[in-house]
Amino acid sequence: MNYLLPALIFVPFLAGFLCLVADRVRPTYPRYIALLGMVVTFVLTLICVPLAKDGFFLDFSVPWISPLGANFHLAMDGLSLLMVALTAFLGVIAVGCSWGEIHHRVGFFHLNLLWSLGGVIGVFLALDLFLFFFFWEMMLIPIYFLIALWGHNSPKKTKGYAATKFFMYTQAGGLVMLIGILALYIIHYSQTGVLSFEYHDLLSAHLGAWEYPIMLLFFIGFAVKLPIMPFHSWLPDAHAQAPTAGSVDLAGILIKTAAYGLLRFVLPLFPNASHDFAPIAITLGIVGLIYGAFAAFSQTDIKRLLAYTSISHMGFVVLAIYAGNILTLQGLMVQMLAHGLSSAALFVMAGQIYERLHTRDLYLMGGMWCSTRFAPLLMFFCAALLGLPATGNFIGEILIVMGAFGQHPIATIIATASFVAAGLYALILIHRALFGDTTKVCAKMRELNGREMALLAVLVVGLLWLGLYPNTVLQLSDYAMHSIELAYGGNV
Amino acid sequence: MNAVIFSPLLPVWVLGIGALVLMLAIALGRNHKKSAFIAMGTLNIALITLLLQNTGVLPRSDFGVGLFSFDGFFVLNAGVVLLCALGASTLSLCYFARLHGQKDELYLLLLLATMGAVLMAGATHLASFFMALELLSVPMYGMVAYEYIRQKSLEAGIKYLVLSAAASATLLMGMAWIFAQFGVLDFASIGTQIGTTQDLPILAMAGGAMILMAIGFKLSLVPFHTWTADVYQGAPLPIAAFLGSASKVAMMALATRALVVMGLPAFDGIYDALFAMVLVSAILGNLLALFSDNLKRMLGYASIAQMAYAIMAVLAIGRMADGVVSAYMAIYALSSLGAFGVMALMSSAADQSTHAREAVCLSDYQGLFWHRPVLTVVMTVMLLSMAGIPLTAGFISKILVAYASVQGKAWWLLGALIIGSVLGVVYYLRTMLIMFKRPVCAPFDAPNDWARRLGGMMVLLCALIVLVLGVFPSGLVYFTGLAHIG
């Protein structure tokens, strides 16, 4: 029994609650409490790093709903450790970037932010499918509030519309997945007579003809959240309307929960059906990859542009997951972390631009070269987004492409070709924001202050580390990814 | 004599005696508080006797067993009904203080209606079915129209009277035809007859269809739903709370028992009809709720869908659904009692002569969080519970229904459940969000000491139970194991 794992979840929850209380004392306190809470959470994940061994090295389980066989079972392996670390790290960034942006109802804002982060950590740690679903659904409400209360109204769409759309999509996906979970549970019960939502128990269920339909239910649940092409339309709206911290949350962490779900649950639980489904999933992924890239190119709102690049990158994620060999899976690990950091950084910068210019319209920008700190940073993160060498994105994408070529050559060739499209959207972003008439915006472009520089500098270091020495990550996730490869590929 | 006194109907005797005592007390002198406390005392004693008898502390004979069944299903549903009635009477004490006029008879009607509702939870015979149902309905007309100064209230009372009487007449006719075909009136014998009959006797078929219609009306399933929103809107808030909790629980218990013991769904036609009603109700109820900005109407329409979700479990796994339905209804009743309770508290400070209406518009709640945080949290918990979001008991009860439907492989019903829930999210969240928006100068506010009033304590308790059961749901699942029919 190890209390590190529940602490990882309860620290954000507790800190969030304290934020609400502290707001009554003085409205600036919640920021410090939230920052402290997330730093503590991050330190706790760092404490877990030296404990890392093969397999699930930390485990915490207490009975929860015993009549149904659901336990409060948390466990950590290399994969979940890295995901939790990313969450806690971006949590610190999210608190930091709200410092200058949120002035109203500060305590309640941080309550929602921290509870959503706590819920995400719960998703990454839960090894009981009921508990997993519990956290999966629970994190939605705080994010709904973040978008609906502190978001921005655009001329055409209100923040309430975007928040509701986000909630409806994910709720529908979640309930579809619930049916899958319950079907799996019932089949396992009818075969063994044991009521259990435990991951390891359910792994041994023989699903027969049910494997494919249940896999599909899970897949739809995760595909909505990832999002994969036909289910994606909530993401641009949610991003465009969300406050900066909400966008960091969504792009950096939330959509990674879906990738994690596919890795942790869909591949090992339904290996045969996943193999049969792989061509369809990869096709959807490739379509999304191309579509997202071109849609991003044609956006004028900087946050919508970034949202579509996320959709595009998820195509890589799907390709990596369904190719399912150790190269692509390890590439995926680096790619998820790097994409989390680089997209979070770009959303933070978009927020900083908005604070200065009060617009996100690329046509109203231009000439930001005059800001000597801002321009190089934006260039760097765009380069990371595009996957230039020395950034983590490069390592991730090159590993995925190398690994997938053997099994899915055509898809891989198309995916590689999409780098050109990625170049287009990254360059158009740089071109419109930085070049052109400098007189328009220069006066308003206040330089980045120390806090803002610090946030971005940390992200730069993270991306460079991933790009130059990815071994730190690869070693941690090696065993977890090997076992996923074995579960998925071993059944061919 | 002892057999009569210690019949399992003892709680009902208590309610009856309480009603008589209350009547005498009113004759001796009117006092709103005194009447309310007599009613609450009676309900408490009834609840305690129910518990004592079923834990074996008080003896229990089997007087009355022919017409009623006193199984776990009865005990738990009757307990929930009594609790809801208690909640509604604490709210009445706060709310009706503002009313100019006689307030005491309301509690008399409330006790009588509760008596009917408790009996409904146990009825196993067409005679007791009808009698208990009428004992609930007739006092309801008076209660709905009680605040007759408000035009809507009187209108709703009369509307409810006319439509409900029509449904009762249909029910009676259906019973007559069933009796004409089979010559028996108790559910179990009808069930055996239906089970052994090969071809569909047209008389029984028609009778069954009419009974189904009456049940559909009382549960307000589409297409018999049109009265719901009007009656909810017209009824004074504490009465709407009673209507949305105790009366729904009792009706659902009766409907479940009647359907599964009589085996009406064994007829293909009747099964299909009920299936279609549930499917349409789950979606249409939510759609209607989506387009109403009056909270009472919204909850009224939402109740159509909620009843459909509960019936889903019955359609999917039949008799095994008894526990799930009981748990679902108990949580729904608790949530709706809490939600109406918050509205009643908000309206209760306003003097009736200056405020002709109640605090039921969405805009009355804008920014409530910033001056009544605890009350807002209570309302939020209730709305989340009805929407089925984690950390509240509604999440667990919705999962239980989904679980039952997956067990019964009822994929169409699950589809309706998903579409309904997704639509439901929109209006529950909309209502929730408005309470957290920037405050405006609202015409209504709860009294400053609301948390120290009985109604306020009741509402807080409801929220607490919903939260605790949401985080530690073992108790709720255990509850489903106890509530068995037969």
Side-chain angles (χ1 to χ4, degrees), chain A residues 158-456:
Chain A
T158 65
K159 51 194 177 180
Y161 165 84
T164 309
K165 189 172 179 182
F166 157 75
F167 203 101
M168 284 174 76
Y169 266 78
T170 40
Q171 175 80 2
L175 288 172
V176 170
M177 186 170 70
L178 172 69
I179 296 175
I181 294 177
L182 291 171
L184 190 62
Y185 171 73
I186 290 169
I187 290 172
H188 175 256
Y189 174 64
S190 66
Q191 283 171 356
T192 59
V194 179
L195 284 170
S196 170
F197 281 104
E198 283 288 331
Y199 176 67
H200 293 294
D201 290 347
L202 295 176
L203 274 179
S204 63
H206 304 287
L207 298 173
W210 283 100
E211 186 177 339
Y212 201 86
I214 297 179
M215 183 280 299
L216 218 50
L217 293 172
F218 272 77
F219 178 79
I220 291 173
F222 292 129
V224 172
K225 195 70 146 273
L226 197 54
I228 294 175
M229 168 67 171
F231 310 108
H232 67 282
S233 89
W234 62 269
L235 187 76
D237 285 336
H239 269 309
Q241 260 58 54
T244 306
S247 288
V248 170
D249 217 5
L250 280 171
I253 312 163
L254 201 72
I255 58 181
K256 308 294 185 294
T257 58
Y260 171 84
L262 287 170
L263 278 176
R264 173 74 79 214
F265 297 108
V266 174
L267 294 192
L269 284 169
F270 319 106
N272 302 316
S274 296
H275 264 292
D276 296 345
F277 188 69
I280 301 175
I282 288 177
T283 310
L284 287 174
I286 294 297
V287 172
L289 185 63
I290 305 291
Y291 166 83
F294 279 98
F297 179 67
S298 61
Q299 297 301 316
T300 57
D301 180 324
I302 186 166
K303 284 179 89 177
R304 286 186 81 87
L305 186 152
L306 294 173
Y308 278 107
T309 65
S310 278
I311 295 176
S312 177
H313 279 106
M314 289 308 121
F316 266 111
V317 170
V318 175
L319 177 64
I321 291 172
Y322 279 91
N325 57 49
I326 187 68
L327 265 182
T328 63
L329 291 177
Q330 286 285 52
L332 174 65
M333 193 67 240
V334 181
Q335 151 89 2
M336 283 200 288
L337 297 179
H339 178 259
L341 297 183
S342 60
S343 60
L346 284 165
F347 276 114
V348 169
M349 295 204 79
Q352 290 165 347
I353 295 178
Y354 187 81
E355 278 176 40
R356 288 165 173 76
L357 304 182
H358 302 286
T359 181
R360 294 194 311 259
D361 192 339
L362 281 167
Y363 283 112
L364 300 177
M365 295 174 198
M368 284 183 210
W369 262 126
C370 57
S371 165
T372 47
R373 290 179 183 170
F374 199 84
L377 281 168
L378 189 66
M379 290 280 273
F380 174 80
F381 290 122
C382 281
L385 189 69
L386 163 70
L388 285 195
T391 61
N393 308 57
F394 172 75
I395 305 288
E397 279 164 15
I398 208 79
L399 281 176
I400 294 173
V401 170
M402 273 161 58
F405 188 73
Q407 290 150 290
H408 304 281
I410 296 170
T412 312
I413 290 169
I414 300 175
T416 315
S418 81
F419 284 132
V420 178
L424 281 178
Y425 62 66
L427 290 177
I428 198 83
L429 173 61
I430 293 176
H431 178 76
R432 289 204 175 130
L434 298 184
F435 293 92
D437 183 7
T438 51
T439 51
K440 263 193 304 183
V441 297
C442 261
K444 292 190 235 163
M445 277 310 283
R446 209 165 9 92
E447 264 304 351
L448 296 172
N449 62 26
R451 170 183 60 84
E452 289 166 328
M453 280 301 284
L455 285 179
L456 296 174

Side-chain angles (χ1 to χ4, degrees), chain A residues 24 64-67 105 108 130 133-134 137-138 141 144-145 148-149 167-168 172 175 179 182-183 185-186 210, chain B residues 370 373 384 389-391 395 399 402-403 406-407 409 411 418 421-422 425-426 429 432-433 436 471 473-474 477:
Chain A
R24 304 219 139 194
W64 181 35
I65 319 176
S66 28
R105 298 165 283 188
F108 191 51
F130 195 95
F133 185 70
F134 183 86
E137 292 280 290
M138 201 203 67
I141 285 281
Y144 171 85
F145 271 130
L149 289 177
F167 203 101
M168 284 174 76
L175 288 172
I179 296 175
L182 291 171
Y185 171 73
I186 290 169
W210 283 100
Chain B
W370 307 106
L384 290 179
I389 307 292
L391 290 182
F395 173 70
I399 283 191
Y403 178 45
V406 176
Q407 269 181 317
K409 300 196 175 69
W411 308 118
I418 293 180
S421 304
V422 170
V425 157
V426 179
L429 291 186
M432 194 176 81
L433 190 63
F436 292 92
V471 181
S474 289
V477 181

Side-chain angles (χ1 to χ4, degrees), chain A residues 105 108, chain B residues 367-373 435-439:
Chain A
R105 298 165 283 188
F108 191 51
Chain B
L368 185 67
F369 180 69
W370 307 106
H371 51 274
R372 295 262 176 250
M435 297 189 291
F436 292 92
K437 288 213 159 143
R438 220 157 260 143

